[in-house]
Structures are given as C-alpha cells and as structure tokens.
Amino acid sequence: MKKFRKVLDGLTTSSPGGNIGSPSCGSAAGTPTAAPTPKEIDIQETLVSENFQLCKTVRHGFPYQPTALAFDPVQKILAIGSRSGGIRILGRPGVDCYCHHESGSAVLQLQFLINEGALVTACADDTLHLWNLRQRRPAILHSLKFNRERITFCHLPFQSKWLYVGTERGNTHIVNIESFILSGYVIMWNKAIELSTKTHPGPVVHLSDSPKDEGKLLIGFESGTIVQWDLRGKKADFRIYYDEAIHSVSWHHEGKQFMCSHSDGSLTLWNLRNTSKPFQVTFPHGKIQKDGRKESCKPILKVEYKTSRNSEPFVIFSGGLSYDKAGRRPTLTIMHGKAITVLEMDHPIVEFMALCETPYNNEVQEPYAVVVLLEKDLIVVDLTQSNFPVFENPYPMDIHESPVTCTAYFADCPPDIIPILYSIGAKHKKTGYSQKEWPISGGTWTLGSHTYPEIIITGHADGSIKFWDASAFTLQMLYKLKTSKVFEKPKQGEGRAAELVEEDPFAVQMVSWCPQSRIFCVVGISAHVILYRFSKYDANTQIVSLEVRLQCESEDVITPSENENNPCFSESGSHSPQPHHQHAASPGSGTPDGIKDSIPCLKVKDRMVRVPPGYQADLVIQLLWVDGDPPQQITSLDINSAYGLLAFGNCNGLAVVDYLQKTILLCMSTLDLYGAADPYQRLTRSPRRNRQSTSGKFCMRGLSNFYSDSKKRIRTSYQSLTELSDNQQSIDMERSKSPTSDHVNGHCTSPTSQPCSAGKPRVPMGPEGPRLTRRGPGRPPFRKAQSAACMEISLPVSHTEESRENSFSRSRSSSVSSIDRDTKEAITTLQFGESYGRKSDVLPTPCLWVGTSLGMVLLIPISIPTDQEERMEEPVTIGPSGAVLMLKGSVLRFGFLDCMGALIQSPCEVWRDLNAPEDPDRPRRRKLVHFSPSSSQDACGEGHLAVLCSERQAKVFLMPSQSCLFVHNITESSFVLRADVISVCNSVCLACFCANGHVMTLSLPSLRPLMDCSYLPLTDMRIARTFFFTNGGQALYLSSPTEIQRITYSQEMCDNLQEMLGELFTPIETPEAQNRGFLKGFFGGNAHTFDREELFGEAAAGKASRSLAQHIPGQAGVEGMKVAASGAVGELARARIALDERGQRLGELEERTALMMTSAETFSKHAHELMLKCKDKKWYQF
C-alpha cells in the first residue's frame, strides 16, 4: 500500500511560475514532494517489476531486400532470406515466423530438409546454419564457418543427409547435416576439369545430382564449363566447355537431358548421348536483325525445366529480353509447348521457383504454380490455367505500396468496428485472381484465448490511409482511404504546391482516431487537416473548407514591454459559420501585402462530390501563406468528439476549431497564449533591418529556401524510411555567445517570434521550426548531452515527434549568428479532457492541455453549451488564461488519473450515422459518454492527478491545486522519443521509448521505475518516427521500410506467446516414390543403390582439414537445452513415423507377394488345363 501526500488548499498559493520553480519539485526519481497541508489518500499500486518482460512477438509485411527463396513441397511452407540476415517462414494464414542471424550477414541460399522440419541457410560470411523448425521459435542447432573459401552454391538431395557445397575457388565440399562436420571427400576444381585446361573454370554456380543416378553429380562453373562427376569412381564422366557463362542448370526428370541458361540470353539443351555440342540452342527473345545477326539480349538468370504428364514440358525463366527494348519492366517467361507467355513484373525479380506435386526429381514434376520473389513483392502464378492468373496473397505484403510515413496502434477496440470496416473495404477489392486455394498452406494455427480486437493504422506518402486488423498476431487489410480525393489534382509546375512538394503533396504526417465516435483526423505535409466521419451510406456532399492564417508577422522588437500584449483570441461569436472558406485573424498585426499571398498549398474540391460508404470528408482546414512565407507544418493534433472540437498547433501557435459549427474559435501565437501568466523574464532582442518589400526576387528566395527545407522534411519523413542505411550527421554543440542574445542549445532567446527576412539564410528546421527558448532569472539553460545511441547525433531539448527525423538526419548549423536566428516555440502535444483550468475551480470543466517544445504546459478552459440545440447555435468560449506548468525538455504526453489511481478517459460521442434515413419516432441526437472510473463522489470532488511527460522528465501534479507530487528524471544521457500512459495488467503505467534504444515503464502515480530494458542497440529515424505504444503491454514500430515489428513488454503476454504463435512443422507422411517398372529399372539403371554414407563417411573419406571450416554448436544455456529437447522429441517423432512407414510398406509388400503367388497358381492351373486339352491333338487340328 502506497501512501501519497497531496495539497488541497493550494487556492491562494503563489503564481504558477513560482510553484514550478520551487525546490519542492525535486529531481530525485520518484521522490514525493512536501505538501504544506497534507491529507492522506490511499492508492494501491499493483504493478511490480515481475509484470514486465520485453520480447518480440511477430513481424508483418514484406521482407526487406530479399535475397533467397526456398519451398518445402511436403510441408508446403516457404522461406525467404534477406540481405540483413533475416528469414521469414510462411505457411497458411496465421503461420508467419521471423528469425534472424545474429551476424546480420546476407542470406545467400536456403535449403529445406524436406519434410524433416529443418532449414539450412548459407550466409555471406561463409557460414552454414542449421535451423530447427520443430518449435514455434526456430533456433540454430549447428553452424559451420568456412575459413579459407567462400560459399557460392549449395545443394541438398531429397532424403539425403549430405550437403554439397560449392565455393568460389571451384571446389565442392560435402557436409554431414546431422553432425555438421565436413567430410574428407572433396572434389577439387583441377580434378574436375581436364589437365590440359589452362584457365580456372570460375566459381561453382550449380550443383545437382542426376535424376537417373544419384551417384552422378553435375557441377556447373561460371565460365561455361559443366562436369558430371562420378562420385563412386572419383572421376569425370564428361566435360562440356561452352563459350557463354552459365547462370543456372535444370534437369529433365528422366536424367537424359538438362537445360542451361546463359549470359547472352540463350537457352541450351544438352543430351547426355552427345555432349560435344548442345542438342538445341534458342534465343527466346532474340530476333534476327536485317543484317542476319541475332540482336543481343540480357542474361537469363535462371531457368526451370519441368515436365507434365498430360501436356508439353514447362520452360520457365527470368530475363533474356533484348537490350534495345529500354524501359521494359522485368519479365518472367513461361514457354509451354509452342505458346510463350511473358509476364511483366512491377519490380526486379530476385528469385523464382516452380512448385511441383512430387519431391522426387526422377518423377514427372507436374508443376502447378510458380512463386516469384520480387524486390518489393511476392507473387504466385497459377500454372494450371491457360491465362496464368495470380493467386490472391493472404499475407500483408503491400504495407509499403506507398512509403509508410506514420503509424498508430489501437488495442481493445470496440468489437463492431472491425467487421464494419471489413465489409466496407471488401467492396473495393481487386478481382481476376485464381479461384484455387493459396498453395502455401503448411503449418497449423489456432485462435488463442488471449485475443481482443486490435487495429493498426498506417499513413503513406501518397496520402492514403490503411486500416489493418491486427487481432491475434495477424494482419489483414480492412479498409483503404485516399485523402488525395479531397483535393484537386495539382497541375505539373503550377501553383505553390507544385513548387514545394510536387512529388508527394498529400503525404500523411499524423493521424488521430476516436474508435467510439469513429471520427478520424489526418494531418498532411502541406499543412492541412482533414476531418472524416464514418457512414454506411454513400452521399452527395460538398466539402467545407476553413483557411487559417497561423503565421507570425515580422515586427521589430526593441524592448520586452512592446510584446506584453493582452491575449488576443477570437471567440466563435465573432465568426459565423460559413459554408465554404473562412479566414481567421492572424496573431499580431497584419500587413498590407499579406492578403495577396493568403492562399493554401492545395485546392479543395469546391463542387458536389459523390462519396462512397466509409470515411467521408466533413471538413478541411488549411494553413495559408502569409507575406510570401509558406505555412509551417503542423506538429500536434487532438480531437474530441464529445466537445465537437479540434485543436492543432505548429511552431507559430495554436488553432482551435469547432467542427460542428465549422468555425475557428482560436488562432493565436504561442507567445500570446501565456498572457499575464508568462513565468519568464523577457530578454531584449537586437533590432534588425526592416523587412524588404515582397518583390519577385524575395518571393523566389523565400520559396527556394522553404522548398529545399520542405523537400528534406518530406524525404526524412518517409523516403528515409525506404533506405537501408540513413546518412547521419553529427552536430556541433559549440554555441557562439552574443551580448544581445542568450543561447540555449544553439537557439537565441527572444521575446517575440518572427519569420526570416529576405536577406537571411533560413535555418534548417523541423516541422515546429526554430524554437523560442526562454529562461527565468537564475535558471540555467537546459543542455542536452551527446547520445551515443543515436549515431553520434545530439538533439536540442525541444523536439516534437515530427521534427525528430529532421534532427536525426540533418545537423543544425551553429555558424548562423544569434541575430539571424528565428525564435519560435512549437506546440508539441495537445489533449482535451475534463480538468481544472484554474486553481479556483471547484468542478472540472472542459479544458485543453497544451505542451510546448520548451517544456511549458498551459491549461486552456473551454465553455461549451450543454444542450444539443444550443451547442449547434451558441458560441463556444475559450479563454487562454489558465495555469502554466513546467518540465525539462519538450512535452510529449499527458495522462489523467482519478484519486483512486484509475485512468480517466476523455469523454466521447457515441457514433451515429449522419447519412442514415431519418426516423420520425426516434430523432437522431448526440449521445455523449463521460468516463468516471471512480464511483466515489468524494474522490471525484477531490480533483484528479495529471501525468506530464517530456523528453527528459515525468511529473505528477494534483489538480486543481497544481501541486507537484512526484518527479522522475527519465534520462540524462539520452531523450525520450515516445511516451504513453497505457493500461496493462488491470492497472496503469507510463511507458517510454528512448533514443538510446531503451524501453522503460514507470508506475503511476509514484513514477517508480518498473522496467528498463536495452531493447535496440541503435535507434534510427525510422524507428523513432513510427514507434507507438498501446494498451495491453504492446507496441510496434517500422523495423524496415516494408515491415512492421510488434513487441510486448507484458510478462503475461510473453508467457502466452507460444500458444498464440503458429506451428511451422506438422507430422506428414512422406509421399511414396512411384513404381518405375521392371523395364525402366533394368535399362535405366537403379538410382537407389548409391550409399552416400559408405562413400562420404569418415571411415572411407577420412577427416577434413580443421583449418578449412570451424564447427560452431547451437545456442547454449537454457535456450539450447530447450532446442535440444525439441530436437530429441522431433527425432522420436521422426523415428515413430519411419517405423509406421516401414510397417505399412512391409504390409503392402506382403499383400503384393500373396497376390503374385495367387496369380502364379492361377497361371499354372490354366497352363495345365490347356496342356491336357491339347495333348492328343495333331498339328493340323490347331
């Protein structure tokens, strides 16, 4: 039981600034502060450190930069290797596993041990790994590191325990899969080729055993040399020397022919009867030119030669197009008889593989599908239909269809929201897919008992929004929304938008969603906000647009007294609702030239538009250009459906909009929000030159400055998410001194906010722009220490979530003098809620909490009419004259608890369909939900606790007395990137993610550290930009430009993780080989008499050189024991299956023997009868 002290009588205490600066707000972590008039309250904190454990759960999306592909035809599971060392193993929907090589080396090749529950990987660091797939979390059993040779190709014959490994030197080694020890049997390159050959044949590019005889190994060298090696006789059967380099080889199933693909775009077919020259040479895409010569073609990188019982063979290959067809997309060609089908792909082909009915290479293959791995997609083509349709992919492989720019994660959503979004989104699905079932159907997966509705929202560079069903560790697309449909298409080279962000003017910066009311808000890169309402009916509507001049005017300031203005805010009474455009008053005095530049970046459609069911645009708010200065990007947003209000801010100020009445309630600079409550002493600023006239030259200069900055911002906000490695720049922390300015982290202090003048270089800025940094007397400036985990990046104290990518990717120059620096304070976070705007308040009222980049927190009381009819007609009153609180660093998050320690949710409106037909008996009225977790009236009347978190510090205040109860300095060496107050284990905690990769949780309200885990060794801007906490102890981030990684920090979920993941391996009986028949077996040779153990074992081949390769055992410790136990269980299961198979085969053999005996007896009887019948007849009687 924790006992906390609180102050109840703080109604007549000193000013907010005095309270904040008082020593009572100590910096000790979790230290309660003294209270002059204490009253005990009891809050039982149930969370302890044992409730938390951090682990990865599942990864969604397309594997980034794929390199290799493998398929198990019996288990029907697919493996994809990537350049970063990752492996994705896919089966039926729900069976999706990610594992990673610790070395991070690229995966060169994958080989399944077919129907054995194991996988061999060959990596670029010349290491082979054996993965055990008979457990839900695959683990490495053995590794073999080659020291003197580089691995180029691997081949594992079906039902063999000996792996052939080709190297760059042209040698072929053999590895025992069970022990992962190198055999002494080696095929040296100089033995494989003729002694008379003077040149090295090059690296091994192909290895395969002959379908006719497993004792024959076909070795393909890059130079064009092909050797069939007799493993028993240790000699070459034949050698082929071809002029063109070889890329791949594929056998005919009878073992009498094989096909090669070459670098000149040709295919050669070789017959073993005559290997002196190819049996057939074809250039599938090479035409004969007028001069009689073949046109040059690109290399055919891979070919597969597959036979079919009822039709001609399939020849499938990639590449081979002629060079003169510039700009053609990558192709996969399917040759079936005389028909040639060319399938164009959207991305380059990495690898492809034909899926066949049988795992045996000496049987008719019967291909039924082709898996094509592209650089950014996975496609499966149906070969059983003549038009070769593709299968509908059940995996979420199109997350990156347009680069992801922001994410949001909502756990425990209303249960009806997922079905209704799916039903709306299903109407817009593509058609033309194959009607057959998805062929990759291996593994087993069941819906776990610990599941609840979860939704992930992704925003993209093209302005699209995707809603995903993320329940039960799966991901399925529900609904797609295109925000660009709200605007007219910007014409190329025309208008401000084209000049600024012509490539992606609709890119999404952030989203805000209220699942209860289904109201959805989107903030775009072009300084616009779109509010959507959900409807199950289509409608004809005209989109209402509001235009806001949220830009500070330039005005020379000599003394602080000139800036002591009264808060000039506009109430709704001065703005009548207008159906189309509406301008709000600009903070500060206007200029005569401001009107002609009062245009938005984008043009909203001003005509009636037909909108389909789903999310329909209700209101668009755009920031305007002012005096040639572009609008600064929006850095914070919040919406409250119960109040009918929307608030957003940027580096210039704050705007509040009544979206029910379609009016602007407040548009004010950040500086003016303080009014008389400003706790800082203003410092004078040196006078600067008057602003030059807005000439064409000035406009172009200002435009180009903003254009380059805007370009950088867009690129760092999403295109950097598509790079494998992001360029980082270090920041010079040395700051120059000036007698007229005080520097804090390189930003000068000033009592005003002014835009750049024409003659000044523009300072690179985040979405919040340069920030106004002020300090009180005797208060040292905040300085941020160097963060070793941020790639030698140091960020200033004030960062919003949107500016961090700029901070990560772009240094802030310190060479600009203090006089030339802009000084602005950005709005970094906003939240509506029931609170106490002033100390004198007795009852909670609607308030807006405002956090700034300087660590300032402002409370703005709001007066809202309670009656529904009055709400639509009477004005909403806002008075920015509430309390002012302070934290270290930029404010990131607010949270509210009642005095019993329960989380207070913001009030919301119950969803109602505005387009539904009217019911005269039941008029449609707004239904509001006010959350009151505590049933005690006394507790409700005592106030509530406010949790405030910045990038350096967390504080808990008691409202309305505004007394600081607890303080915790979260980090000194780094800074917090993301913080949220979340529900976990039926309690509440504060979760933080730092730039040094640490994930931390703090108890509430005592701010006691519960978990501090170093999760990521290095944090890049992509992770920083997309990290998102949610309830239930879960979080996600964009681990690569194409993949979403979900993690959990809940011990309960970690314990249940095994139950929720899918099984990769299921015991399946290996299909029997077809009976080859007596004649084929007699004349074609017997492939089953080859004993590899006798040939490659230590007794016959000896031991390999120890210096050639080093064996590395699997994981040690408890995890290794688990793996070993799983392996032992798997061996027992395998032995049991083998015994069953053997017994069944013995039974079948016994039945066949009995049938043969019966048949022989019958034949003998008939022969005897015939003999008796014909015994006495003469020859002429027949």
Side-chain angles (χ1 to χ4, degrees):
M1 186 75 70
K2 300 282 182 184
K3 296 193 175 182
F4 307 116
R5 303 284 181 179
K6 67 173 184 176
V7 180
L8 293 178
D9 65 335
L11 304 175
T12 58
T13 56
S14 59
S15 67
N19 271 345
I20 295 164
S22 64
S24 64
C25 291
S27 61
T31 305
T33 58
T37 311
K39 177 182 177 181
E40 290 187 359
I41 59 171
D42 295 335
I43 297 180
Q44 183 176 6
E45 289 191 357
T46 58
L47 292 179
V48 293
S49 298
E50 287 71 22
N51 294 126
F52 297 93
Q53 179 186 346
L54 192 67
C55 70
K56 295 180 179 179
T57 54
V58 68
R59 181 172 291 209
H60 303 297
F62 180 75
Y64 184 54
Q65 293 184 328
T67 54
L69 183 70
F71 181 72
D72 187 327
V74 179
Q75 290 289 324
K76 295 191 182 301
I77 56 176
L78 186 79
I80 301 173
S82 68
R83 191 178 298 176
S84 61
I87 306 170
R88 283 284 289 284
I89 305 173
L90 304 170
R92 67 177 66 249
V95 179
D96 188 342
C97 177
Y98 173 80
C99 41
H100 189 266
H101 295 93
E102 291 184 1
S103 64
S105 298
V107 178
L108 298 180
Q109 199 174 352
L110 299 167
Q111 285 277 323
F112 274 107
L113 276 68
I114 296 175
N115 203 28
E116 298 286 343
L119 176 70
V120 175
T121 59
C123 295
D125 60 351
D126 306 308
T127 306
L128 297 173
H129 303 276
L130 178 64
W131 291 83
N132 180 15
L133 306 183
R134 293 176 177 248
Q135 55 194 60
R136 294 176 189 259
R137 292 276 190 169
I140 293 177
L141 292 175
H142 301 283
S143 298
L144 188 66
K145 168 74 174 175
F146 280 75
N147 297 322
R148 295 186 298 185
E149 297 195 53
R150 309 218 63 182
I151 299 172
T152 56
F153 195 87
C154 298
H155 171 64
L156 181 65
F158 179 46
Q159 293 181 326
S160 169
K161 67 175 184 179
W162 298 96
L163 175 73
Y164 302 115
V165 181
T167 67
E168 193 175 38
R169 291 185 180 179
N171 302 324
T172 302
H173 300 275
I174 302 171
V175 178
N176 187 314
I177 290 298
E178 292 180 349
S179 61
F180 241 58
I181 295 176
L182 209 58
S183 168
Y185 192 112
V186 183
I187 306 172
M188 303 300 291
W189 67 271
N190 54 355
K191 299 282 184 66
I193 64 173
E194 289 180 333
L195 295 176
S196 60
T197 306
K198 297 180 179 179
T199 58
H200 191 278
V204 176
V205 296
H206 176 81
L207 292 168
S208 62
D209 52 332
S210 169
K212 189 176 178 180
D213 186 356
E214 292 179 349
K216 310 288 187 180
L217 182 68
L218 194 70
I219 307 172
F221 297 94
E222 188 181 58
S223 62
T225 301
I226 301 173
V227 177
Q228 180 167 289
W229 184 261
D230 185 352
L231 294 168
R232 301 183 193 89
K234 298 183 180 179
K235 61 184 179 62
D237 286 343
F238 63 81
R239 299 178 178 93
I240 296 173
Y241 299 96
Y242 196 66
D243 296 336
E244 294 296 334
I246 293 175
H247 286 282
S248 70
V249 181
S250 182
W251 280 98
H252 187 279
H253 81 275
E254 292 180 351
K256 298 176 182 178
Q257 294 178 337
F258 61 86
M259 185 176 287
C260 301
S261 68
H262 300 278
S263 57
D264 63 345
S266 66
L267 296 174
T268 56
L269 185 64
W270 298 84
N271 196 314
L272 297 191
R273 291 180 181 178
N274 181 14
T275 57
S276 60
K277 63 178 181 179
F279 175 72
Q280 184 181 2
V281 180
T282 57
F283 287 82
H285 295 299
K287 297 179 181 178
I288 300 176
Q289 298 175 341
K290 293 180 180 179
D291 56 1
R293 292 185 302 172
K294 289 272 188 181
E295 59 182 349
S296 58
C297 296
K298 298 177 183 178
I300 295 179
L301 301 178
K302 183 177 180 180
V303 63
E304 291 210 353
Y305 188 22
K306 301 298 181 183
T307 52
S308 179
R309 284 189 184 87
N310 302 320
S311 65
E312 296 288 328
F314 285 88
V315 177
I316 307 166
F317 62 89
S318 61
L321 291 179
S322 60
Y323 278 104
D324 63 346
K325 294 176 181 176
R328 279 196 67 172
R329 295 188 290 181
T331 60
L332 182 79
T333 305
I334 302 174
M335 298 172 62
H336 189 210
K338 295 183 180 180
I340 299 179
T341 305
V342 179
L343 304 178
E344 290 192 339
M345 304 295 169
D346 294 330
H347 309 284
I349 298 174
V350 176
E351 174 74 285
F352 74 88
M353 182 173 292
L355 307 186
C356 302
E357 296 286 354
T358 177
Y360 297 93
N361 66 343
N362 58 355
E363 296 179 357
V364 179
Q365 299 297 288
E366 291 291 348
Y368 57 89
V370 177
V371 178
V372 187
L373 179 63
L374 308 177
E375 278 191 0
K376 294 184 179 181
D377 203 357
L378 179 70
I379 293 173
V380 182
V381 181
D382 186 356
L383 292 180
T384 61
Q385 300 182 43
S386 58
N387 59 341
F388 302 130
V390 298
F391 290 89
E392 185 176 8
N393 198 327
Y395 315 125
M397 294 291 183
D398 57 346
I399 292 175
H400 61 287
E401 186 179 15
S402 174
V404 178
T405 55
C406 71
T407 59
Y409 190 10
F410 299 89
D412 206 8
C413 299
D416 61 334
I417 192 70
I418 290 179
I420 198 167
L421 282 174
Y422 182 78
S423 63
I424 297 292
K427 299 175 182 177
H428 305 285
K429 280 194 172 184
K430 297 179 181 178
T431 57
Y433 293 110
S434 172
Q435 299 301 314
K436 295 196 173 183
E437 292 186 1
W438 179 250
I440 306 166
S441 56
T444 55
W445 178 77
T446 55
L447 192 65
S449 57
H450 302 272
T451 59
Y452 42 82
E454 299 174 76
I455 286 181
I456 293 173
I457 300 175
T458 55
H460 300 265
D462 62 353
S464 61
I465 306 284
K466 292 182 180 180
F467 290 78
W468 306 85
D469 177 10
S471 308
F473 287 167
T474 61
L475 197 70
Q476 183 182 11
M477 171 93 137
L478 292 175
Y479 174 72
K480 183 176 180 180
L481 174 67
K482 294 182 179 180
T483 62
S484 58
K485 291 187 175 182
V486 173
F487 303 99
E488 301 284 358
K489 290 184 179 179
K491 296 181 180 178
Q492 192 70 24
E494 182 178 312
R496 300 282 189 183
E499 294 175 15
L500 293 181
V501 284
E502 60 184 12
E503 292 182 20
D504 298 289
F506 311 111
V508 178
Q509 274 192 296
M510 69 181 81
V511 296
S512 179
W513 187 44
C514 177
Q516 286 76 21
S517 64
R518 302 181 188 174
I519 287 180
F520 185 61
C521 256
V522 179
V523 172
I525 197 81
S526 299
H528 62 268
V529 182
I530 310 175
L531 184 141
Y532 289 91
R533 288 180 178 270
F534 188 83
S535 175
K536 294 189 290 184
Y537 304 91
D538 55 0
N540 290 318
T541 183
Q542 185 164 4
I543 302 169
V544 180
S545 174
L546 297 178
E547 297 177 351
V548 179
R549 289 170 55 90
L550 193 60
Q551 189 89 352
C552 298
E553 302 293 341
S554 63
E555 187 176 282
D556 288 337
V557 179
I558 307 298
T559 61
S561 60
E562 292 186 21
N563 193 60
E564 293 172 359
N565 303 324
N566 293 325
C568 51
F569 59 93
S570 54
E571 300 179 0
S572 61
S574 61
H575 296 283
S576 59
Q578 297 181 11
H580 299 293
H581 293 26
Q582 183 175 2
H583 297 271
S586 172
S589 59
T591 61
D593 298 330
I595 303 300
K596 70 175 185 178
D597 279 321
S598 295
I599 59 171
C601 292
L602 300 172
K603 184 181 179 182
V604 180
K605 291 180 179 177
D606 56 0
R607 60 184 184 275
M608 294 292 290
V609 291
R610 183 79 173 173
V611 288
Y615 274 104
Q616 302 168 352
D618 185 62
L619 177 65
V620 178
I621 306 165
Q622 292 182 283
L623 299 186
L624 301 174
W625 283 64
V626 178
D627 292 342
D629 284 332
Q632 297 296 325
Q633 291 177 15
I634 296 167
T635 59
S636 55
L637 170 77
D638 192 40
I639 186 169
N640 189 280
S641 56
Y643 302 159
L645 300 180
L646 181 151
F648 62 92
N650 63 6
C651 64
N652 289 327
L654 170 70
V656 181
V657 174
D658 182 348
Y659 68 79
L660 295 178
Q661 297 187 25
K662 307 293 190 295
T663 56
I664 300 166
L665 303 177
L666 180 73
C667 180
M668 186 176 291
S669 68
T670 314
L671 204 61
D672 293 332
L673 289 174
Y674 293 99
D678 191 349
Y680 289 107
Q681 175 186 359
R682 304 290 177 175
L683 301 179
T684 60
R685 176 175 177 171
S686 301
R688 66 177 186 178
R689 296 192 302 265
N690 290 330
R691 188 185 186 91
Q692 298 178 5
S693 61
T694 313
S695 62
K697 179 180 177 181
F698 165 70
C699 286
M700 288 307 297
R701 181 182 180 89
L703 183 65
S704 63
N705 283 332
F706 176 75
Y707 174 76
S708 61
D709 181 59
S710 179
K711 274 288 193 197
K712 288 181 180 179
R713 186 180 303 114
I714 296 171
R715 291 297 161 260
T716 52
S717 77
Y718 71 84
Q719 190 176 30
S720 60
L721 308 185
T722 66
E723 300 294 335
L724 176 64
S725 59
D726 302 303
N727 294 328
Q728 309 296 337
Q729 299 177 358
S730 59
I731 293 179
D732 183 8
M733 293 299 291
E734 297 297 326
R735 305 300 184 190
S736 58
K737 298 290 181 178
S738 171
T740 59
S741 62
D742 185 16
H743 278 260
V744 180
N745 289 327
H747 297 286
C748 62
T749 60
S750 170
T752 186
S753 306
Q754 299 182 3
C756 286
S757 64
K760 297 181 184 177
R762 182 172 291 275
V763 182
M765 63 185 77
E768 80 279 9
R771 288 166 283 262
L772 169 63
T773 306
R774 299 159 298 179
R775 59 175 181 149
R779 189 176 183 87
F782 304 135
R783 293 190 180 276
K784 186 173 295 298
Q786 186 87 0
S787 173
C790 290
M791 308 180 194
E792 300 181 351
I793 301 299
S794 298
L795 302 190
V797 167
S798 46
H799 294 284
T800 63
E801 295 168 4
E802 287 67 44
S803 71
R804 290 194 185 91
E805 291 197 353
N806 291 334
S807 304
F808 274 89
S809 64
R810 209 169 56 239
S811 65
R812 298 177 183 273
S813 172
S814 60
S815 61
V816 184
S817 68
S818 61
I819 296 179
D820 285 342
R821 281 189 173 275
D822 284 338
T823 55
K824 295 178 183 178
E825 180 178 10
I827 306 296
T828 56
T829 185
L830 296 164
Q831 186 162 339
F832 288 101
E834 299 285 322
S835 187
Y836 302 86
R838 303 173 184 83
K839 290 186 177 182
S840 58
D841 289 350
V842 178
L843 296 175
T845 57
C847 290
L848 175 62
W849 288 70
V850 181
T852 74
S853 56
L854 297 185
M856 303 302 299
V857 178
L858 298 93
L859 274 76
I860 301 179
I862 307 171
S863 176
I864 302 175
T866 55
D867 184 73
Q868 177 174 351
E869 295 181 0
E870 292 180 356
R871 176 64 185 86
M872 299 304 296
E873 297 175 1
E874 296 296 322
V876 174
T877 307
I878 301 181
S881 57
V884 178
L885 310 173
M886 175 182 280
L887 288 87
K888 288 182 181 179
S890 178
V891 182
L892 299 179
R893 191 62 58 194
F894 300 125
F896 308 110
L897 310 177
D898 64 12
C899 289
M900 303 300 293
L903 184 65
I904 301 177
Q905 301 284 355
S906 296
C908 65
E909 177 187 1
V910 178
W911 174 71
R912 56 197 176 101
D913 198 334
L914 298 181
N915 294 337
E918 289 283 354
D919 187 354
D921 299 330
R922 299 179 62 186
R924 209 161 42 216
R925 298 181 61 86
R926 296 182 73 214
K927 183 180 179 182
L928 307 183
V929 177
H930 292 267
F931 297 95
S932 54
S934 177
S935 58
S936 171
Q937 292 295 325
D938 296 335
C940 291
E942 288 176 348
H944 69 86
L945 302 176
V947 181
L948 281 58
C949 185
S950 72
E951 58 184 12
R952 298 293 294 275
Q953 192 179 55
K955 289 186 178 182
V956 176
F957 285 89
L958 177 67
M959 305 301 291
S961 65
Q962 301 174 17
S963 300
C964 180
L965 300 182
F966 288 91
V967 182
H968 179 70
N969 289 333
I970 300 172
T971 178
E972 293 294 338
S973 61
S974 184
F975 50 93
V976 179
L977 293 170
R978 180 81 193 188
D980 281 291
V981 178
I982 55 101
S983 299
V984 60
C985 300
N986 299 317
S987 189
V988 186
C989 72
L990 177 65
C992 304
F993 174 63
C994 293
N996 58 8
H998 282 244
V999 177
M1000 293 179 283
T1001 57
L1002 305 174
S1003 68
L1004 291 176
S1006 66
L1007 299 178
R1008 176 171 43 89
L1010 296 173
M1011 181 188 73
D1012 186 352
C1013 180
S1014 179
Y1015 172 60
L1016 294 170
L1018 203 65
T1019 301
D1020 62 15
M1021 65 182 73
R1022 182 186 310 108
I1023 297 174
R1025 182 69 182 79
T1026 57
F1027 201 96
F1028 204 99
F1029 289 106
T1030 190
N1031 292 329
Q1034 295 195 75
L1036 66 78
Y1037 60 91
L1038 209 65
S1039 58
S1040 75
T1042 61
E1043 295 170 288
I1044 291 176
Q1045 177 68 58
R1046 290 165 68 177
I1047 65 173
T1048 181
Y1049 45 95
S1050 165
Q1051 179 67 54
E1052 181 184 4
M1053 183 163 287
C1054 288
D1055 294 340
N1056 299 320
L1057 191 58
Q1058 293 294 323
E1059 175 193 341
M1060 302 174 75
L1061 295 175
E1063 284 274 6
L1064 292 173
F1065 179 80
T1066 52
I1068 301 174
E1069 184 177 345
T1070 303
E1072 265 192 54
Q1074 294 177 0
N1075 188 2
R1076 302 184 66 198
F1078 173 75
L1079 293 177
K1080 282 190 177 181
F1082 184 79
F1083 293 106
N1086 192 352
H1088 300 282
T1089 60
F1090 179 59
D1091 188 357
R1092 294 187 179 89
E1093 180 67 33
E1094 182 182 341
L1095 198 59
F1096 303 144
E1098 186 176 332
K1103 291 184 179 180
S1105 172
R1106 290 186 178 181
S1107 61
L1108 186 61
Q1110 176 188 359
H1111 176 259
I1112 304 169
Q1115 299 172 355
V1118 178
E1119 193 65 31
M1121 292 172 63
K1122 290 180 181 177
V1123 172
S1126 300
V1129 172
E1131 290 295 334
L1132 288 173
R1134 193 187 312 174
R1136 191 180 300 113
I1137 293 173
L1139 285 172
D1140 293 341
E1141 290 177 358
R1142 185 181 178 192
Q1144 186 175 352
R1145 288 175 183 173
L1146 286 173
E1148 291 175 357
L1149 181 61
E1150 197 172 339
E1151 291 176 2
R1152 289 176 185 173
T1153 306
L1155 286 173
M1156 289 176 66
M1157 289 178 65
T1158 306
S1159 177
E1161 289 176 359
T1162 306
F1163 178 76
S1164 174
K1165 182 180 177 181
H1166 284 297
H1168 183 70
E1169 290 176 353
L1170 184 63
M1171 183 268 295
L1172 293 175
K1173 184 178 180 181
C1174 301
K1175 182 174 66 172
D1176 298 329
K1177 288 187 178 182
K1178 303 296 181 181
W1179 62 270
Y1180 53 83
Q1181 292 178 323
F1182 286 98

